[in-house]
Amino acid sequence: MRGTAFAAALGVVTTLCLPGVAVAAGPGPDRAGSSASAGTSGPVEGTVRRLALESRSATEAAVSAQKTERFGLMGVSWKDASAEVQGKIEARSRNAVTGAWTPWVELEPLKAGLDGVRPGARGATEPVWVGSADGAEVRVSGGSAALPAGLELDLVDPGKAGRGGAAKSAPASGARAAAAAVAPGPESTAPRPDVVSRAQWGADESLNNEGPIYLAGGKIKALFVHHTAASAPYECTDSAAIVRGLHVYHVKTNGWRDLGYNFLVDKCGTLFEGRQGGVDQPVMGAHTYGFNSESTSVAVLGDHTTAGASPAALEGISKMAAYKLGQYDVDMDGTTTLTAGATQKNYAGTSFTAGQPYQFRTVSGHRDGFNTECPGHQLYPQLDTIRKSGPAARLKIGAVNEKAIAAGGTAKTPGPLVVDFSTSTAAPLVSSFELLVDGASAATVAGDATRAATMLSVGSHRVQIRATAKNGKVSTSLPVTVEADVSDVKYVPVLPKRLMDTREGVGVPKAKIGPGAVATLKVAGVQGVPAYGVTSVALNVTATNPTEAGHVPVYPNGVARPSTSNLNFTAGQTIPNLVVVPVQDGLAQFFNSAGTVDLIADITGYFSK
């Protein structure tokens, strides 16, 4: 089945996924490099030349343009958007370099009213990227039904950066001015990827005077993956022109408000800003009929019916999915519930009823929500790889010093900091977590940890957790503020008293601490230290009789071992150090990294509120 890929939700139009409708133009082998080099210095004016089809009969029409000015994208349109072509619309193009004609291919008509009732809207087929062409032929058969009036062949020249006649930018007034003044979007747990902006790819903003629409709920819950009409071979330096061609066709031929996809990515992995409104904003796109109101989209340049997307393109989708879904605490390898905006069936035959909730993968293909082959038979199976390719998801701090806290919240401490955190990503996929204090790493714990600790200096601090996945990707939790204030904290010095001596069996069993072993010491409720109300203790810790060079971190009970060290030593060395350690459950832990060593700990004081 050749899927028609049109989509709109709640009156918002979509662009097309175009499986199996290539008009091969063959511009030659791909050149290495990124399409970012195709950026422009300003808006580029694209043009649409319309050639009327000649009527052969009431049910047949055709046009043959043997020599035209060069164009890159083509489609067929007609005057009445609600009229339908019951038969076939076929087209072919001539390569401007070789003069060779492509085989005939069938163009799929779009459903009427995809963008609501719009003045000047025309009926049309999906657009097809043909590369550089200078000739085209179209033949239309209505079968037994009469053809609609005003049939035309639309040839789109996307314009060229640096060429004369650049478009004038539309004045920032009305809806566009309001969009420009919108507050920054939410911070994401994933890095914002590099994106070629509309200005850089040469968007003619004089075409867009209506401004963007933002999601009514202000939250993106899913990302839909598409492919586009770029079915002819293309070089990555041509990607900006392909995006401009789609923009011009959607607005000038279809009469839509703007380019429909939120983002596009080429085979070199370069991301492009699609529909205007802000990369960081929950912009209402026009991509997945019935489900646009709670989602965003990435379209891959190319027809992936017979070949999958490149690794670079998949990585581009992954980066954008992690960023956009990370803005709204959504796991890109999870599921979500979307409310249908239309009654329809998807490609697999699943029925949706408008107003009813349905479960989707948070990264879904266009075909999951609509009856289309999009994003192509070979790209669709690759979605699972994308879902699992992101950084640790839904990373968040849940508690500070055992008191619940939400992102953006504030906690207080006299100095000790114990942070509980969580992620929806399975522990085997995470390499490590770092406790960040004012952007600097204060402690590192293993990938299966859920807690980290450190001591804060007096003042206000920005605290976050940074996760590094096994694939090397990094995510960072939204911050909390922790204010360290000792104005109401009392330090109580005590006469030095021995709490631990592994040589004598004081406080712990009599035995050296072996490599990778931990000694747990009771520090509250002993030797004059109160059993309750103690926030931390000051210990003079001494290492003696080590058999190898190593180090000892001292840390609260119940907290994952930090990567930092409190005491470093070499073989045969005796060395002391003063350690202030937070108290958790009245206990402290001592870890030996290598060899065997005797440890001694003397209490010198404690902190309490």
Side-chain angles (χ1 to χ4, degrees):
M1 171 182 176
R2 290 182 61 251
T4 306
F6 51 82
L10 306 178
V12 179
V13 71
T14 184
T15 55
L16 298 175
C17 290
L18 304 169
V21 291
V23 181
D30 297 331
R31 290 196 297 263
S34 167
S35 58
S37 61
T40 75
S41 58
V44 176
E45 184 176 15
T47 59
V48 179
R49 291 186 296 276
R50 296 186 173 92
L51 304 176
L53 271 65
E54 298 178 0
S55 176
R56 301 288 176 82
S57 69
T59 60
E60 294 184 352
V63 64
S64 178
Q66 296 294 321
K67 187 67 177 177
T68 69
E69 293 184 37
R70 292 197 180 191
F71 61 94
L73 186 136
M74 64 186 293
V76 173
S77 66
W78 49 93
K79 183 177 180 181
D80 185 356
S82 63
E84 296 182 0
V85 176
Q86 299 295 330
K88 288 185 178 181
I89 303 175
E90 297 176 297
R92 64 175 184 166
S93 64
R94 183 174 63 189
N95 189 295
V97 177
T98 67
W101 286 86
T102 66
W104 289 93
V105 295
E106 185 176 349
L107 304 183
E108 195 76 34
L110 298 175
K111 185 179 179 180
L114 292 181
D115 200 16
V117 179
R118 298 181 59 82
R122 292 175 62 82
T125 67
E126 74 275 316
V128 179
W129 178 256
V130 297
S132 179
D134 63 359
E137 291 185 338
V138 170
R139 58 193 185 194
V140 180
S141 170
S144 60
L147 296 176
L151 280 165
E152 294 179 339
L153 168 63
D154 290 7
L155 306 177
V156 178
D157 176 4
K160 184 177 180 181
R163 188 168 64 186
K168 296 181 179 180
S169 296
S173 60
R176 293 188 65 245
V182 70
E187 189 175 353
S188 178
T189 55
R192 173 170 167 165
D194 292 333
V195 178
V196 178
S197 69
R198 289 171 66 94
Q200 289 172 318
W201 58 256
D204 181 359
E205 300 294 10
S206 66
L207 301 178
N208 303 103
N209 58 8
E210 298 180 57
I213 297 174
Y214 296 103
L215 301 188
K219 180 179 180 179
I220 292 170
K221 299 171 66 176
L223 179 142
F224 285 95
V225 178
H226 301 252
H227 64 182
T228 72
S231 51
Y234 70 94
E235 300 175 5
C236 287
T237 49
D238 295 327
S239 298
I242 297 174
V243 176
R244 289 198 302 272
L246 291 169
H247 179 215
V248 171
Y249 188 88
H250 293 165
V251 176
K252 288 191 173 183
T253 292
N254 298 109
W256 300 349
R257 67 186 301 117
D258 193 5
L259 177 60
Y261 301 116
N262 296 102
F263 303 97
L264 304 96
V265 64
D266 68 11
K267 62 186 176 184
C268 289
T270 302
L271 286 158
F272 293 82
E273 178 184 9
R275 179 159 286 210
Q276 67 177 203
V279 171
D280 63 335
Q281 298 295 320
V283 177
M284 173 79 84
H287 50 87
T288 306
Y289 180 64
F291 298 101
N292 289 322
S293 61
E294 298 177 294
S295 65
T296 189
S297 61
V298 176
V300 186
L301 300 186
D303 177 4
H304 297 290
T305 299
T306 59
S310 69
L314 298 178
E315 179 67 8
I317 300 170
S318 174
K319 288 179 179 179
M320 185 54 68
Y323 171 67
K324 293 305 294 181
L325 297 178
Q327 287 185 291
Y328 303 96
D329 194 31
V330 176
D331 186 346
M332 59 188 284
D333 191 26
T335 59
T336 189
T337 299
L338 304 179
T339 300
T343 297
Q344 58 175 327
K345 288 184 179 181
N346 69 6
Y347 183 71
T350 301
S351 295
F352 302 117
T353 301
Q356 296 300 308
Y358 297 92
Q359 189 174 75
F360 282 81
R361 298 296 298 268
T362 51
V363 173
S364 287
H366 187 185
R367 63 170 62 183
D368 293 320
F370 187 72
N371 187 16
T372 174
E373 293 179 359
C374 181
H377 294 316
Q378 300 306 311
L379 174 53
Y380 186 75
Q382 294 177 302
L383 297 185
D384 202 48
T385 299
I386 294 171
R387 295 179 184 113
K388 292 177 169 54
S389 65
R394 303 195 71 188
L395 181 63
K396 63 185 70 176
I397 293 174
V400 169
N401 294 344
E402 298 190 323
K403 292 184 178 179
I405 193 169
T410 300
K412 292 186 177 182
T413 179
L417 175 65
V418 180
V419 174
D420 290 286
F421 56 87
S422 64
T423 174
S424 59
T425 298
L429 300 178
V430 182
S431 176
S432 64
F433 296 99
E434 293 174 90
L435 174 59
L436 304 182
V437 177
D438 300 325
S441 179
T444 302
V445 294
D448 60 353
T450 58
R451 176 176 283 186
T454 190
M455 288 291 294
L456 296 180
S457 59
V458 174
S460 181
H461 302 278
R462 178 183 170 96
V463 175
Q464 296 169 281
I465 292 292
R466 180 167 60 199
T468 301
K470 291 287 180 67
N471 61 19
K473 294 185 179 180
V474 173
S475 57
T476 306
S477 71
L478 299 182
V480 298
T481 299
V482 181
E483 297 176 352
D485 183 3
V486 297
S487 60
D488 60 348
V489 174
K490 182 180 179 181
Y491 176 69
V492 181
V494 299
L495 290 175
K497 296 178 182 179
R498 187 140 298 176
L499 298 186
M500 179 175 72
D501 189 337
T502 61
R503 300 169 305 176
E504 304 293 335
V506 175
V508 295
K510 181 180 178 179
K512 279 189 171 184
I513 301 176
V518 175
T520 301
L521 177 67
K522 186 175 179 61
V523 295
V526 297
Q527 297 289 18
V529 179
Y532 304 100
V534 175
T535 60
S536 57
V537 294
L539 302 174
N540 188 39
V541 181
T542 302
T544 188
N545 303 321
T547 58
E548 296 182 24
H551 65 273
V552 172
V554 184
Y555 53 100
N557 182 59
V559 172
R561 184 179 73 250
S563 60
T564 54
S565 172
N566 297 107
L567 196 62
N568 299 317
F569 49 80
T570 58
Q573 183 182 29
T574 296
I575 183 170
N577 192 30
L578 182 65
V579 176
V580 177
V581 58
V583 174
Q584 184 81 10
D585 302 326
L587 304 172
Q589 295 187 325
F590 301 73
F591 172 82
N592 176 37
S593 66
T596 62
V597 66
D598 280 312
L599 292 179
I600 303 166
D602 298 320
I603 184 74
T604 63
Y606 62 88
F607 295 85
S608 65
K609 296 192 70 173

